[in-house]
Amino acid sequence: MRTRLIDDLLGAALAGGARQVVLLGAGYDSRAYRLPAARRATVFEVDHPATQERKRRLVERAVPAGERAHVRFVPADLKEADLASLLRDAGVRRERTAVVWEGVTNYLDARSVDATFTALAGVTAPGSRVIFTYMDRRALDGSGTFTGIAEWAASVSAAGEPFTFGLLPDELPGHLAEQGLNLVIDRSAREAAADYLAPLGRAEPAAPFYHVAEAEVA
């Protein structure tokens, strides 16, 4: 459900005038190739050099050259890079842009998250959209009454990537405003599952503590 919601938000941003896409911490995201609207934009994939090198080999094997010419790979260690300078040097222009930052914030810290939001707001034009995921902080500090979080947290910790950061939904609008962004949409994965699946008579045990949000550059 998270993937479907982000796909729809990205599609709406592109239909609304965005001509650049930044996939931040892209991993194995395939949106640049599978979404028709993304294929008409310039896509910048930013990720760790080691991960990106493997992905490039896979893409070259699976995607014809003419269907990947719109993608620019930007290798970077985001823990050390100056993101604003990195994006400008890669060719990102100050124009309407759609950013997807999926599955990353919950492994960072507050300073890194805020610095990223500020950099994105400074590099892109007003009206740009930043689509990101985050975890409800109450699921991390134990003050919430969510089911399933213990199993999920144990799984990622065992993989060497424990959850480290979350935000409070009620405080999100004010928090983003401090970084130059206005909250547009905030949906939990469970809410998204209800939106998409309930009309089909289907259900999915989606997490109420995992959110997809969209913000607009002020």
Side-chain angles (χ1 to χ4, degrees):
M1 289 303 98
R2 147 182 144 182
T3 300
R4 172 60 190 274
L5 177 54
I6 292 174
D7 282 357
D8 287 351
L9 293 175
L10 177 58
L14 290 166
R19 292 295 174 264
Q20 300 179 129
V21 175
V22 175
L23 301 177
L24 194 57
Y28 295 104
D29 189 316
S30 64
R31 291 184 176 93
Y33 314 101
R34 63 179 177 78
L35 297 183
R39 294 200 296 267
R40 295 190 291 271
T42 302
V43 180
F44 298 85
E45 293 206 15
V46 184
D47 205 359
H48 190 279
T51 304
Q52 195 168 87
E53 179 57 33
R54 174 166 170 75
K55 181 180 183 178
R56 292 185 71 161
R57 292 198 300 269
L58 294 171
V59 168
E60 287 168 5
R61 232 181 280 160
V63 183
E67 296 178 18
R68 46 185 162 87
H70 63 298
V71 179
R72 301 181 186 180
F73 288 96
V74 185
D77 184 343
L78 293 175
K79 292 182 179 179
E80 300 179 1
D82 177 338
L83 181 59
S85 297
L86 177 78
L87 293 177
R88 291 191 190 101
D89 291 346
V92 173
R93 301 176 300 278
R94 188 171 171 76
E95 62 180 39
R96 193 73 68 86
T97 304
V99 178
V100 175
W101 194 22
E102 180 181 7
V104 179
T105 66
N106 39 279
Y107 300 113
L108 301 178
D109 55 40
R111 190 175 71 84
S112 298
V113 171
D114 290 351
T116 299
F117 283 138
T118 300
L120 293 172
V123 169
T124 62
S128 296
R129 298 299 176 106
V130 179
I131 303 160
F132 64 98
T133 59
Y134 76 93
M135 289 190 67
D136 189 321
R137 187 188 303 161
R138 295 168 297 182
L140 303 183
D141 64 19
S143 62
T145 56
F146 302 107
T147 58
I149 181 61
E151 293 82 0
W152 198 359
S155 176
V156 297
S157 293
E161 293 189 321
F163 295 136
T164 55
F165 178 76
L167 292 160
L168 293 174
D170 290 347
E171 296 179 0
L172 186 59
H175 191 91
L176 291 172
E178 294 175 358
Q179 323 305 325
L181 300 163
N182 295 322
L183 181 65
V184 177
I185 290 171
D186 183 12
R187 303 291 284 167
S188 72
R190 179 166 291 179
E191 290 170 330
D195 291 342
Y196 288 114
L197 298 181
L200 304 176
R202 294 170 54 196
E204 179 181 288
F209 48 81
Y210 201 92
H211 286 240
V212 175
E214 179 183 43
E216 182 178 58
V217 175

